[in-house]
Amino acid sequence: MPSATESPAGGEEGEVLRYEEIEDDSVSPTDLSELLKEGTKESHDRAENTQFVKDFLKGRIKKELFKLATVALYFTYSALEEEMDRNKDSPVFAPLYFPLELHRREALAKDLKYFYGEDWEEKVKCSEATQHYVDRIHHVGQHEPELLVAHAYTRYMGDLSGGQVLKKVAQRALKLPSTEEGIQFYTFDSISNAQQFKQLYRARMNALDLDKSTKERIVEEANRAFRFNMQVFDELDKIGRSLPEAAQDGGFPVHDGKGDLRKCPYYADKLGKAGSSCPYHAAAALAKQPLMQLILAACVAVAAGAAAWYLM
């Protein structure tokens, strides 16, 4: 497992952790990290295949919907980090307390200020699906702190994995600033190497003094966390279907290549010419070719695999 130059609590303020890569040859099938990995595979797959995530990966993310997703994340992480602070000295959670490296509430507040302005707190509210998630996190933190491991694992390990794919998609599709305003949530300035940090985090999980029954309950809770996330995705997807296509600010106009070509604003050539100057009709026509369909399918599959850990 990796070693790290860090304080027991996860690093002093202002310090950036640096990790030494050590080959991991001691993982056991009964380790909590392995039990979580194997026990949540199906939930991973279902989360990846929600319509919201599939559209996101394709760059079909409307700005208004992205803002609402950021709001949901803000309330979720506010609850999670409140309970983590409450249990920072508990032996069943303390080794996983990395406030400087992981906490996202302040980063999300910056993103909301960017999207909604100085008075953002007066403009946002917790949605129904997010509230159910928040309530469960508070219950766990106050009554079953050992299960808090499941929620921290599901969220933060996802943010450091597939979340980094989504960061790039959002920045490109919404034409967000290169200075990363609006996507501070995905930026972990105090982690120098995400892969090595995740190894450290898993090592800390595996070192927790937990019996078999407790480990099984943590895996069950992690699957519950995925279900809460999927409920939020479904809620966002329903909202997204009610938004006009024009609300897809910053991204490319979406066109499926169907309908009257003359209505395409990018169509400049006369009908009957060989080919069209409209890039969207041209792309749509190309996508209908069997070989191109296979290539596009492969690209989507790779992106989805990289996002196996989605944030929300």
Side-chain angles (χ1 to χ4, degrees), residues 52-60 66 166 169-170 186 310:
F52 175 79
V53 174
K54 289 194 292 186
D55 285 346
F56 199 147
L57 285 169
K58 294 175 184 177
R60 292 178 55 89
F66 185 79
L166 297 175
V169 173
Y186 300 104
Y310 176 44

Side-chain angles (χ1 to χ4, degrees), residues 37-262:
K37 178 182 175 182
E38 295 300 318
T40 60
K41 275 185 177 179
E42 187 176 337
S43 293
H44 275 148
D45 291 341
R46 288 202 302 268
E48 289 171 23
N49 284 288
T50 57
Q51 193 61 48
F52 175 79
V53 174
K54 289 194 292 186
D55 285 346
F56 199 147
L57 285 169
K58 294 175 184 177
R60 292 178 55 89
I61 180 69
K62 300 172 182 176
K63 190 171 184 179
E64 286 303 315
L65 202 59
F66 185 79
K67 289 164 61 175
L68 291 176
T70 304
V71 171
L73 288 168
Y74 174 78
F75 284 107
T76 300
Y77 280 86
S78 293
L80 179 58
E81 288 160 12
E82 178 182 338
E83 296 307 329
M84 289 168 64
D85 289 343
R86 185 196 306 275
N87 290 282
K88 64 182 179 180
D89 297 319
S90 170
V92 296
F93 186 76
L96 300 180
Y97 186 65
F98 289 93
L100 175 63
E101 293 78 18
L102 294 178
H103 281 197
R104 300 286 86 201
R105 184 178 183 274
E106 290 185 10
L108 284 160
K110 291 178 182 177
D111 289 339
L112 292 176
K113 180 179 178 181
Y114 171 77
F115 286 123
Y116 290 98
E118 293 287 344
D119 58 345
W120 64 269
E121 291 181 275
E122 301 172 12
K123 298 177 179 178
V124 303
K125 65 178 181 178
C126 189
S127 71
E128 182 178 354
T130 304
Q131 189 62 56
H132 292 320
Y133 195 0
V134 165
D135 290 344
R136 178 60 186 176
I137 292 172
H138 282 311
H139 172 83
V140 163
Q142 295 169 30
H143 303 288
E144 302 175 274
E146 65 277 9
L147 300 186
L148 198 59
V149 174
H151 291 276
Y153 164 85
T154 303
R155 291 302 332 169
Y156 294 115
M157 294 301 97
D159 301 334
L160 289 169
S161 300
Q164 299 307 301
V165 175
L166 297 175
K167 172 185 178 179
K168 295 177 182 177
V169 173
Q171 190 172 36
R172 181 173 59 252
L174 301 178
K175 294 188 176 180
L176 296 173
S178 59
T179 46
E180 299 189 336
E181 283 95 341
I183 49 174
Q184 286 293 304
F185 166 68
Y186 300 104
T187 302
F188 292 81
D189 290 329
S190 296
I191 295 179
S192 60
N193 185 302
Q195 185 60 34
Q196 291 175 8
F197 181 87
K198 287 186 290 183
Q199 289 179 333
L200 171 67
Y201 196 89
R202 293 186 185 106
R204 291 283 187 90
M205 283 200 307
N206 294 337
L208 293 172
D209 186 15
L210 304 170
D211 58 28
K212 180 181 178 181
S213 175
T214 302
K215 290 179 180 178
E216 290 174 349
R217 289 172 56 232
I218 290 173
V219 173
E220 181 182 352
E221 188 68 21
N223 282 303
R224 186 194 295 258
F226 272 105
R227 289 196 295 273
F228 279 121
N229 278 288
M230 285 185 276
Q231 288 166 9
V232 174
F233 296 159
D234 289 342
E235 183 181 63
L236 288 168
D237 185 51
K238 290 177 183 176
I239 295 172
R241 290 199 297 268
S242 70
L243 294 174
E245 207 62 59
Q248 190 154 330
D249 299 341
F252 290 119
V254 176
H255 196 286
D256 60 4
K258 300 176 182 178
D260 189 346
L261 295 183
R262 291 170 295 184

